[in-house]
């Protein structure tokens, strides 16, 4: 691990100002950052510890939703009775992620900002455009079983590893931030994470000197909420494919549907076209097929991950059957 | 409690086969790596160490004041600075659970958190569970149910199980809990396996680990 100086942030403004300095990094749970620092993938010269900031509450909003402080631990958020009752898809997604020990440390803000688990990003002896822009991508021609099939670029085929963020994408969560001047901003989660394009090193729309303070959830949409995760082990593994679904149906007809996918892209993936195929459609295989075709429009495998295309189709079928009670 | 303190004072440690092996390994490391590397992994030879930090930790009921390289993880503080080697370093990347300890009563991977981040907090390790000669009920159950073979993951398994049982009593659901609204999920084998999935056992003693946890929780096996 490279040497760094350690500082505790006393205020949110102090933390935001500190992140504007080159080499400075915020540390909260540290479960991803310290892992990467041990491998020298991350080499901050200064760590700003924000664990003592008052950002650890889950509060009701006036609109009937919830505001989740950036430092609320994944385990506490999953267990919150309001989340379990109204946002079951989020509780289940959180519980699908990592292990209990890691969830006890990992935070809401940190989960959104975690880095890809691409093997070549983690291996500093291999070229990676995300780690060293312009170096090339070892995954394109390498072992790419866990990699993306949607929204990829010639520069990067990494996936975003979060389960929590996939559920938040289905729930249309809003990321709240503050910058070093004290100005606040809200960012819809759809615009928070970016596709790799030519700049895979830029993963979010956060600016230097801007930190996450909370994630706001709008009131829960009507419908059955499901989070389904398909992975290599029954537990404690990243998603190959995951689906967060909120589907409202009655008497064999779908009224509304929201679908977000993990393990497929550089960001939690949402398909408005697939949702459109479902609205006002009859529950059944042909409707589910149309939705799957829409999600996978433009999907491209890179060899080892070709299986993700049929796996996504089958997982979506299963989730739609479950949410519509068929 | 005084007994434990004498165990952890460096001057009073009884020489065992383990301490001989550790001393030998440490001497070897010292000939090839700078001091900071012991606590923080590989470093550049010409890199100056960062300014040390003062950290107060209450470990197993005793207060320790340490001066540490800020890179020192809780695990390395325990093992390298306090000779509390019951917590094991398996992967050092939060993937195996062998380093699990309880910080402020919650189970965490001590390899993935810095000691300086826990200044003023309380830590319970495997060394702090027994009351004198009386083992903690989870320790007793692991012995009686043969919940280990090589034993390397065991201290992490036991600390994790204690944290897990507390979480369960507080109503924490898991990924396999069918009804998220149920106040306290029944600890079936499937529930225990899911809740303990952060602790890997290379000997695959899992059936006996599950049995031990059920025994400690008072669930018929």
């Amino acid at each position: 691990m490279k040497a760094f100086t350690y500082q505790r942030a006393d205020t949110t403004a102090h933390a935001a100002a500190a992140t504007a300095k080159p080499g400075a990094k915020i540390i909260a749970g540290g479960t991803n950052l310290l892992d990467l620092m041990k491998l020298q993938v991350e080499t901050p010269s200064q760590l700003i510890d924000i664990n003592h900031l008052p950002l650890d509450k889950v509060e009701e909003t006036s609109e009937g939703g919830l505001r989740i402080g950036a430092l609320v631990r994944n385990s506490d958020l999953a267990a919150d009775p309001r989340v379990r009752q109204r946002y079951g898809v989020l509780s289940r997604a959180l519980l699908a992620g990592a292990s209990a020990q890691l969830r006890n440390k990992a935070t809401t803000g940190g989960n959104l900002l975690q880095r890809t688990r691409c093997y070549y990003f983690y291996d500093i002896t291999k070229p990676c455009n995300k780690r060293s822009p312009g170096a090339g991508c070892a995954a394109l021609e390498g072992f790419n079983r866990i990699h993306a099939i949607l929204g990829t670029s010639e520069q990067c085929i990494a996936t975003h590893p979060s389960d929590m963020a996939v559920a938040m994408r289905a729930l249309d969560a809003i990321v709240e931030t503050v910058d070093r001047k004290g100005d606040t901003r809200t960012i819809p989660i759809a615009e928070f994470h970016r596709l790799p394009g030519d700049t895979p090193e830029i993963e979010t729309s956060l600016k230097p000197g801007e930190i996450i303070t909370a994630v706001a959830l709008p009131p829960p949409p009507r419908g059955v909420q499901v989070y389904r995760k398909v992975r290599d082990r029954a537990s404690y593994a990243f998603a190959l494919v995951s689906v967060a679904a909120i589907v409202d149906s009655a008497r064999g007809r779908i009224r509304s549907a929201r679908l977000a996918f993990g393990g497929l892209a550089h960001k939690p993936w949402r398909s408005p076209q697939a949702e459109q195929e479902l609205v006002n459609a009859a529950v059944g295989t042909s409707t589910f097929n149309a939705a799957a075709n829409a999600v996978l429009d433009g999907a491209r495998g890179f060899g080892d991950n070709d299986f993700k295309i049929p796996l996504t189709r089958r997982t979506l079928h299963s989730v739609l059957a479950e949410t519509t009670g068929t | 409690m005084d007994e434990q303190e004498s165990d952890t004072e460096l001057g009073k440690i009884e020489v065992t086969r383990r301490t001989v092996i550790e001393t030998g390994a440490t001497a070897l490391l010292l000939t090839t790596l700078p001091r900071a590397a012991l606590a923080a992994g590989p470093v550049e030879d010409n890199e100056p160490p960062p300014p040390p930090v003062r950290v107060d930790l209450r470990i197993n009921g005793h207060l320790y004041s340490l001066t540490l390289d800020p890179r020192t993880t809780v695990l390395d503080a325990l093992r390298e600075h306090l000779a509390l080697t019951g917590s094991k370093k398996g992967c050092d990347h939060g993937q195996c659970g062998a380093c699990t300890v309880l910080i402020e009563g919650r189970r965490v991977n001590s390899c993935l958190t810095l000691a300086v981040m826990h200044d003023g907090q309380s830590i319970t390790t495997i060394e702090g569970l027994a009351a004198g000669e009386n083992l903690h009920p989870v320790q007793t159950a692991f012995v009686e149910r043969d919940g280990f073979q090589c034993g390397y993951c065991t201290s992490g398994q036991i600390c994790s199980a204690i944290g897990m049982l507390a979480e369960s009593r507080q109503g924490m659901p898991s990924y396999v809990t069918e009804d998220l609204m149920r106040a306290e999920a029944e600890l079936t084998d499937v529930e225990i396996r899911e809740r303990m999935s952060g602790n890997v056992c290379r000997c695959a003693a899992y059936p006996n680990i599950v049995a031990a946890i059920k025994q400690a929780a008072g669930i018929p096996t």
Side-chain angles (χ1 to χ4, degrees):
Chain A
M1 199 185 290
K2 292 280 192 183
F4 56 83
T5 55
Y6 170 87
Q7 210 182 346
R8 276 189 184 188
D10 300 324
T11 65
T12 311
H14 168 212
T19 64
K21 294 180 193 137
K25 274 270 179 193
I26 295 276
I27 188 162
T31 53
N32 187 212
L33 180 58
L34 287 169
D35 187 23
L36 293 167
M37 286 168 65
K38 288 183 183 193
L39 297 166
Q40 299 192 6
V41 176
E42 295 271 17
T43 54
S45 55
Q46 192 180 16
L47 275 192
I48 316 294
D49 182 353
I50 60 166
N51 281 291
H52 300 272
L53 299 181
L55 301 173
D56 59 349
K57 301 283 187 299
V58 181
E59 299 164 331
E60 299 277 354
T61 64
S62 52
E63 299 84 41
L66 290 177
R67 175 173 288 105
I68 304 156
L71 288 172
V72 174
R73 308 287 153 174
N74 285 179
S75 50
D76 293 331
L77 185 58
D80 188 292
R82 295 162 293 186
V83 177
R84 285 155 76 174
Q85 173 140 38
R86 286 145 59 187
Y87 303 97
V89 66
L90 177 58
S91 186
R92 193 75 73 180
L94 284 158
L95 294 168
S99 68
Q101 288 97 315
L102 292 167
R103 293 193 293 272
N104 276 339
K105 290 293 289 177
T107 63
T108 306
N111 189 312
L112 289 176
L113 294 174
Q114 67 179 305
R115 314 293 305 275
T116 183
R117 269 26 175 228
C118 171
Y119 323 117
Y120 304 102
F121 172 70
Y122 261 73
D123 181 349
I124 60 171
T125 68
K126 298 291 189 299
C128 170
N129 288 320
K130 187 181 281 299
R131 191 165 18 77
S132 314
C137 171
L140 278 172
E141 302 292 329
F143 182 60
N144 47 38
R145 187 166 183 278
I146 64 170
H147 288 77
I149 57 169
L150 289 165
T152 56
S153 73
E154 290 305 312
Q155 278 67 47
C156 183
I157 59 170
T159 58
H160 194 270
S162 173
D163 293 293
M164 181 196 83
V166 177
M168 286 181 170
R169 184 83 208 269
L171 290 164
D172 283 332
I174 308 283
V175 182
E176 300 183 354
T177 70
V178 65
D179 70 13
R180 59 188 136 164
K181 291 184 223 131
D183 292 336
T184 59
R185 179 160 84 111
T186 58
I187 308 167
I189 193 158
E191 294 159 26
F192 184 78
H193 295 106
R194 295 162 44 100
L195 289 177
D198 292 332
T199 54
E201 73 279 13
I202 303 172
E203 294 170 351
T204 72
S205 51
L206 276 188
K207 296 173 186 152
E210 183 179 26
I211 65 168
I212 301 172
T213 53
V215 175
L217 302 179
R222 280 177 67 103
V224 177
Q225 301 185 15
V226 166
Y227 189 75
R228 181 77 59 83
K229 181 173 182 178
V230 182
R231 47 187 156 173
D232 281 328
R233 303 191 294 211
S235 182
Y236 201 12
F238 290 98
L240 294 167
V241 174
S242 72
V243 182
I246 306 168
V247 179
D248 184 27
S249 67
R251 292 180 294 281
R253 199 154 277 281
I254 296 170
R255 286 196 286 241
S256 66
R258 298 186 188 196
L259 304 170
F261 297 83
L264 302 186
H266 196 260
K267 62 187 286 186
W269 191 264
R270 189 103 179 247
S271 172
Q273 295 80 8
E275 293 171 16
Q276 209 52 51
E277 291 289 347
L278 294 171
V279 174
N280 293 323
V283 171
T285 306
S286 62
T287 297
F288 300 169
N289 265 337
N293 288 341
V295 172
L296 292 165
D297 185 28
R300 175 191 169 195
F302 293 86
D304 299 313
N305 69 346
D306 293 349
F307 73 97
K308 284 192 176 186
I309 295 173
L311 183 61
T312 302
R313 178 178 297 279
R314 290 198 297 270
T315 308
L316 180 59
H317 265 261
S318 173
V319 165
L320 289 173
E322 182 179 345
T323 51
T324 55
T326 53
Chain B
M1 284 294 157
D2 285 337
E3 273 180 20
Q4 286 170 23
E5 190 157 46
S6 65
D7 282 344
T8 53
E9 278 177 29
L10 290 168
K12 293 184 188 170
I13 289 176
E14 194 187 340
V15 177
T16 62
R17 191 172 70 94
R18 175 171 294 177
T19 43
V20 170
I21 292 168
E22 279 172 357
T23 311
T26 306
L28 184 68
L29 274 172
L30 282 172
T31 59
T32 54
L33 291 167
R35 178 72 187 88
L38 282 176
V43 293
E44 316 282 301
D45 279 336
N46 55 0
E47 189 179 79
V53 289
R54 165 85 185 269
V55 183
D56 291 339
L57 298 173
R58 185 172 291 278
I59 300 168
N60 301 329
H62 302 280
L63 193 61
Y64 296 90
S65 288
L66 300 168
T67 303
L68 300 172
D69 183 314
R71 291 172 287 186
T72 311
T73 61
V74 169
L75 179 61
D76 285 331
L78 294 170
R79 292 181 57 85
E80 307 292 343
H81 294 266
L82 297 167
L84 290 170
T85 53
S87 304
K88 301 303 183 201
K89 184 178 280 192
C91 67
D92 208 23
H93 287 276
Q95 297 175 5
C96 77
C99 67
T100 303
V101 300
L102 301 163
I103 300 184
E104 298 286 306
R106 295 169 66 129
R107 52 178 169 161
V108 301
N109 300 108
S110 63
C111 75
L112 274 193
T113 194
L114 299 172
V116 67
M117 294 164 67
H118 297 281
D119 186 36
Q121 294 187 350
S122 294
I123 300 175
T124 303
T125 71
I126 190 74
E127 290 92 343
L129 297 178
E133 292 295 306
N134 297 319
L135 295 181
H136 186 285
V138 175
Q139 291 176 304
T140 302
F142 267 71
V143 173
E144 291 182 358
R145 292 291 177 154
D146 209 9
F148 48 85
Q149 289 182 43
C150 83
Y152 197 80
C153 72
T154 309
S155 54
Q157 297 276 1
I158 289 173
C159 288
S160 185
I162 291 169
M164 184 274 276
L165 292 171
E167 289 163 11
S168 171
R169 283 191 296 273
Q170 290 155 16
M172 171 69 70
S174 87
Y175 183 65
V176 300
T177 306
E178 277 193 27
D179 180 4
L180 284 176
M181 289 316 296
R182 188 166 165 166
E184 189 179 332
E186 187 189 347
L187 285 181
T188 60
D189 287 17
V190 173
E191 278 281 359
I192 291 171
R193 284 171 178 272
E194 166 60 27
R195 289 164 190 259
M196 291 294 293
S197 70
N199 292 83
V200 177
C201 173
R202 189 63 270 199
C203 307
Y206 298 113
N208 294 3
I209 292 170
V210 173
I213 292 170
K214 288 178 96 164
Q215 176 177 316
I219 300 165
T221 51

